[in-house]
Amino acid sequence: MATPTGPAPGDEERLRIEPPQRRAAGLPGIVWSVRHIGRQVGLRRGARTLLQVNQPDGFDCPGCAWPEPADTSRLEFCENGAKAVAEEATTRRVDRAFFAAHPVADLQRQTDHWLGQQGRLVEPMWKPAGADGYQPVSWDDALDRVSQALRATTPERAVFYTSGRTSNEAAFAYQLFVRLLGTNNLPDCSNMCHESSGVALTETIGVGKGTVTLEDVHQAELLLIVGQNPGTNHPRMLTALEEAKRRGARIVAINPLPEAGLLRFKNPQRAAGLLGRGTALADLYLPIRVGADLALFQLVNHLLLARDAVDHGFLAAHCDGLEALADHLRGADVNALLAATGLDRADVDQLVDLLAGTQRIITCWAMGLTQHRGAVATIREIVNTTLLRGSIGRPGAGLCPVRGHSNVQGDRTMGIYERPSDDFLDRLRAAVGFDPPRQPGYDTVAAIEAMADGAVDVFLAMGGNFAAAAPDTAVTAAALARCRLTVQVSTKLNRSHLLTGDEALLLPCLGRTERDDTGGRDQLVSVEDSMSVVHGSRGRNEPASPHLRSEVAIVCDLAARTVGSDVVDWTALAADYDRIRDLIEQVVPGFEAVNERVRHPGGFTLPNGPRDDRTFATPTRRAQLTVNRHEPIDVPPGRLLLQTIRSHDQYNTTIYGLDDRYRGIHHGRRVLLVAPADLAALGLTDGEVVDIVSEWSDGRERRAPAFRLVGYPTPPGTCAAYFPEANVLVPLGSTADGSRTPTSKAVVVRLERP
């Protein structure tokens, strides 16, 4: 039976399973890219668009935040980048005739893949209270409805969500509007992904960002890739790893699943990649148990101290906390830590040998680390490793949280944060001339809880697919339904458009690939990548519809109608984005002369104390070694620990297709990857269909029905399923200590036959 959160399961009769691959990219990557471009855009228009991706005079890829090299190639994109561009530049349209033919109840029965494949939204749409579908509405009427709803309530009863696609200029204008309104209710997608990284890094090194450049990656002698699958999530990273290998680097992959991209990379831009065997990347692969990374790095640090393989000079000059850390690690139960990891001691010793043999070490990580109860502690322990070796603030060394969406880091830099610093608010006050609110706002989990309690009247999302990205899908859907008005600024149809408040509005915006001539001029926006490089982005394609508006124009028009223009001339900001950047320059350190520097090819790099001169903006002005305690997750007998993952045919919640060819999954997504030994122990068989039921302390049943079991090389006691299909299993109340990130990589589940 279909539910508002998705179709009835069991319609994946074409599902086919093959052995997982052991190499990534190569000629198949080109073939799949061309196929997707051809289906969505047409080869001629698609090729013209792809030649503009990540070019100094073109647009930033709307996919991941991996940086561009100083000298970009003519084809500076990957397979998933090509898919992202194709989805945005598609010729398919979702117009008023589509909505007239498809009531919301009918659309709710469709899969997320089907919804996304319908194409671009082309005009504002309104779903009145009690109506069964959307109908066209003018921009003036739509924005007046939002403004009236905001003015009819109090600021704390409104929530303003942001996705990582939003440009710096739109994000800055958005947070300025929200704070002029009088609230810090600015949850964003960071709350659900790298919030744990930001918290841990801010505590330990004084900045919530990574400390390396792309050239550092090329110069590193040892790279640890932990809890990350770059072959699917950041494919252009493989080129950087290949360059590091060419220069003699060693690479260690630490991940529960063997991922093809880290085993062997066939660079599609090299003859050897197309015709040869490609480059073997990982010198050592450690198949760690889900959630045991803290145990591993505590064991590593114990062994480094036991060998006296630490940089005493760096520690004395720049770090606090060595004595407390050493005392803690000396008392560690080495056998218990090793058992928790599920690894062989010889492999751990080999890792320690590699760490002890160089200081040009970079550790990269992603959501495999950040979405656990102990995520912040785990990342702090990785910082301990880095500090013990003195591997920060030197070429080829440092910390590298690899962000997902293309401007998620930039949005935070622009002030999209529910807990802004006093320094940021003081600068905002001085630049604009008003007293911004100081009371912390809602993060993502708190926003859902507030909506569920009936404490939110208006929910506005600047991009993204909130309902599909958030945990506890049924709870999130019910929470959104309690709002009086939900508003989505979007490019394409998605699940969030169907899980609405009493009333709902869809406001269609320009995509990254499209020309923005707001105010009668060719506008430039900017983004910040994972390595703090800020650069310009200028779309060249004809907009999908003459009725589309830029995100900046939507924000500024709504702000003018809601808070007025006495303090901020919103019309002037919308007409000339340079004026927004003038304000950014006054508020955000590192943006001096931004309007000149953002137009330089390659942009400019923001300052970073730990990287640039080994300065640390902590209370003591020194880096902090920390004591962290490994607390194993209690998994009762007969249960497994589930992690949610992406397929190769998706980016975040956008489903490009139904294949995950690197893992051998074709024509379906409702699969559960389980170790063959666990299947046998549970009395189940490969290919059997089961319901997945999560277990959490609130006693409420969360069930994901009809998943096909696939025997797969996962560590014993663990399993994996794709999100957003498995998000229904992630309890809203299960979050990381210190960051409140949902624990999507640590869900205790049982399997039941239907």
Side-chain angles (χ1 to χ4, degrees):
M1 182 177 180
T3 71
T5 56
D11 58 351
E12 300 188 352
E13 65 277 355
R14 298 176 61 210
L15 181 64
R16 188 178 84 252
I17 310 298
E18 295 178 346
Q21 296 185 15
R22 299 189 63 80
R23 59 184 60 83
L27 186 58
I30 294 176
V31 171
W32 282 91
S33 299
V34 170
R35 285 180 180 174
H36 207 83
I37 284 287
R39 287 197 300 264
Q40 295 280 357
V41 185
L43 293 179
R44 183 176 179 180
R45 182 168 181 261
R48 186 172 64 248
T49 302
L50 289 174
L51 290 174
Q52 303 170 28
V53 182
N54 296 328
Q55 301 301 324
D57 60 346
F59 62 89
D60 185 70
C61 179
C64 79
W66 187 255
E68 287 79 62
D71 298 316
T72 57
S73 71
R74 199 69 186 106
L75 302 177
E76 194 60 53
F77 60 87
C78 64
E79 177 187 341
N80 269 12
K83 291 174 180 175
V85 168
E87 293 276 321
E88 181 175 291
T90 181
T91 57
R92 302 170 186 175
R93 301 289 182 260
V94 176
D95 55 18
R96 60 180 63 189
F98 174 90
F99 283 111
H102 294 88
V104 166
D106 289 348
L107 293 173
Q108 288 174 345
R109 299 186 181 96
Q110 301 297 333
T111 65
D112 292 273
H113 174 241
W114 186 93
L115 293 172
Q117 292 305 302
Q118 302 314 299
R120 291 289 299 276
L121 299 166
V122 295
E123 62 180 323
M125 303 298 296
W126 171 46
K127 181 182 176 294
D132 63 357
Y134 283 96
Q135 62 190 47
V137 63
S138 71
W139 273 106
D140 279 341
D141 194 8
L143 293 176
D144 277 344
R145 289 181 181 279
V146 183
S147 177
Q148 289 164 9
L150 290 172
R151 286 185 281 112
T153 188
T154 54
E156 66 271 13
R157 293 185 64 85
V159 169
F160 300 86
Y161 176 74
T162 317
S163 87
R165 186 204 65 203
T166 306
S167 70
N168 286 333
E169 292 72 21
F172 186 87
Y174 192 47
Q175 64 82 30
L176 177 57
F177 160 49
V178 171
R179 292 190 167 110
L180 273 166
L181 187 66
T183 182
N184 285 309
N185 286 345
L186 283 159
D188 73 329
C189 57
S190 287
N191 297 150
M192 295 182 280
C193 55
H194 268 290
E195 197 69 59
S196 299
S197 300
V199 170
L201 294 175
T202 300
E203 289 178 359
T204 54
I205 63 171
V207 59
K209 302 180 181 182
T211 68
V212 301
T213 66
L214 189 56
E215 185 57 30
D216 286 324
V217 175
H218 296 161
Q219 294 180 14
E221 294 179 348
L222 176 63
L223 290 130
L224 309 185
I225 315 299
V226 192
Q228 184 195 2
N229 174 17
T232 284
N233 300 331
H234 310 89
R236 287 188 302 122
M237 181 178 175
L238 299 180
T239 302
L241 297 179
E242 182 185 50
E243 175 63 18
K245 287 286 288 188
R246 187 185 67 79
R247 299 188 190 189
R250 307 292 294 276
I251 295 176
V252 179
I254 303 171
N255 202 62
L257 303 179
E259 302 293 7
L262 287 172
L263 299 179
R264 183 172 293 275
F265 172 48
K266 301 187 70 175
N267 190 333
Q269 298 196 30
R270 297 179 186 270
L274 288 175
L275 304 176
R277 298 183 66 244
T279 303
L281 292 182
D283 300 279
L284 176 64
Y285 165 53
L286 302 181
I288 193 166
R289 283 184 179 148
V290 174
D293 303 273
L294 175 54
L296 173 62
F297 280 93
Q298 284 203 337
L299 178 56
V300 163
N301 292 337
H302 169 92
L303 295 172
L304 287 173
L305 283 166
R307 296 187 188 191
D308 197 28
V310 300
D311 186 334
H312 291 286
F314 172 81
L315 292 168
H318 298 289
C319 300
D320 292 332
L322 177 59
E323 184 176 347
L325 175 63
D327 286 346
H328 171 66
L329 292 178
R330 274 194 292 268
D333 186 334
V334 172
N335 292 329
L337 291 175
L338 180 64
T341 68
L343 301 173
D344 293 335
R345 175 61 187 265
D347 287 338
V348 176
D349 287 339
Q350 188 176 349
L351 172 60
V352 176
D353 290 342
L354 290 169
L355 288 165
T358 182
Q359 290 183 304
R360 285 163 57 183
I361 304 163
I362 291 177
T363 303
C364 304
W365 70 89
M367 261 88 82
L369 293 192
T370 64
Q371 295 178 326
H372 294 273
R373 186 183 64 199
V376 173
T378 299
I379 297 163
R380 287 196 304 237
E381 198 66 42
I382 288 174
V383 174
N384 285 345
T385 306
T386 301
L387 298 177
L388 289 173
R389 293 297 301 137
S391 299
I392 196 168
R394 66 171 73 240
L399 297 156
C400 184
V402 183
R403 309 284 176 171
H405 220 320
S406 57
N407 197 41
V408 62
Q409 183 159 300
D411 287 352
R412 182 58 58 88
T413 300
M414 292 298 105
I416 300 295
Y417 189 31
E418 75 280 357
R419 293 177 177 270
S421 69
D422 285 337
D423 180 66
F424 179 88
L425 295 178
D426 289 344
R427 288 172 175 267
L428 191 64
R429 178 180 59 190
V432 182
F434 79 108
D435 261 333
R438 304 276 170 163
Q439 180 69 25
Y442 294 139
D443 61 17
T444 293
V445 169
I448 298 170
E449 292 170 339
M451 287 188 284
D453 289 341
V456 174
D457 294 320
V458 180
F459 175 86
L460 196 160
M462 186 60 57
N465 183 357
F466 183 83
D472 223 337
T473 312
V475 170
T476 298
L480 287 165
R482 296 205 65 184
C483 297
R484 294 180 184 175
L485 174 66
T486 51
V487 186
Q488 307 285 338
V489 179
S490 302
T491 57
K492 298 184 66 185
L493 189 66
N494 66 48
R495 181 68 55 190
S496 294
H497 304 156
L498 313 177
L499 303 175
T500 71
D502 294 338
E503 294 185 54
L505 283 161
L506 306 183
L507 306 181
C509 64
L510 294 172
R512 191 78 58 76
T513 63
E514 292 169 320
R515 187 181 67 254
D516 181 356
D517 56 7
T518 302
R521 66 179 67 204
D522 188 14
Q523 300 283 7
L524 173 80
V525 298
S526 64
V527 296
E528 179 187 346
D529 65 31
S530 267
M531 295 180 181
S532 299
V533 177
V534 178
H535 54 91
S537 176
R538 198 189 304 269
R540 297 298 186 188
N541 283 353
E542 188 72 17
S545 163
H547 303 296
L548 303 184
R549 292 190 179 183
S550 72
E551 290 176 316
V552 170
I554 294 170
V555 170
C556 290
D557 195 346
L558 177 59
R561 295 167 192 255
T562 307
V563 298
S565 297
D566 293 341
V567 177
V568 174
D569 187 344
W570 297 104
T571 301
L573 293 187
D576 184 357
Y577 299 177
D578 281 0
R579 292 174 181 263
I580 301 176
R581 286 186 283 271
D582 287 339
L583 286 175
I584 293 171
E585 180 176 347
Q586 298 177 60
V587 175
V588 184
F591 279 80
E592 296 78 11
V594 58
N595 274 314
E596 175 187 350
R597 293 194 293 160
V598 78
R599 289 175 165 86
H600 291 170
F604 62 94
T605 303
L606 294 174
N608 184 293
R611 180 196 67 214
D612 298 339
D613 53 14
R614 287 184 164 179
T615 57
F616 304 93
T618 63
T620 66
R621 317 308 290 179
R622 291 161 64 86
Q624 302 297 304
L625 294 155
T626 55
V627 171
N628 305 291
R629 304 189 184 281
H630 175 244
E631 298 178 0
I633 298 172
D634 181 23
V635 182
R639 273 55 173 174
L640 300 173
L641 193 64
L642 169 76
Q643 62 168 331
T644 66
I645 58 175
R646 291 175 181 163
S647 79
H648 191 64
D649 258 1
Q650 77 178 94
Y651 193 76
N652 294 337
T653 58
T654 302
I655 312 301
Y656 301 138
L658 299 178
D659 294 330
D660 190 2
R661 70 176 189 277
Y662 291 159
R663 296 191 181 108
I665 313 296
H666 300 274
H667 304 302
R669 293 179 52 82
R670 299 187 74 85
V671 295
L672 182 66
L673 310 182
V674 185
D678 285 330
L679 289 177
L682 294 171
L684 299 167
T685 59
D686 191 323
E688 194 171 350
V689 175
V690 299
D691 292 351
I692 312 172
V693 184
S694 69
E695 299 183 350
W696 178 241
S697 57
D698 62 5
R700 193 174 70 80
E701 181 178 282
R702 295 167 175 85
R703 181 178 296 266
F707 276 67
R708 176 173 165 178
L709 296 172
V710 176
Y712 203 83
T714 68
T718 69
C719 58
Y722 301 129
F723 74 84
E725 290 84 354
N727 284 359
V728 67
L729 300 168
V730 183
L732 183 66
S734 181
T735 60
D737 296 335
S739 71
R740 289 173 51 83
T741 297
T743 58
S744 299
K745 298 293 187 290
V747 183
V748 176
V749 299
R750 69 178 186 269
L751 309 183
E752 295 183 354
R753 291 186 171 93

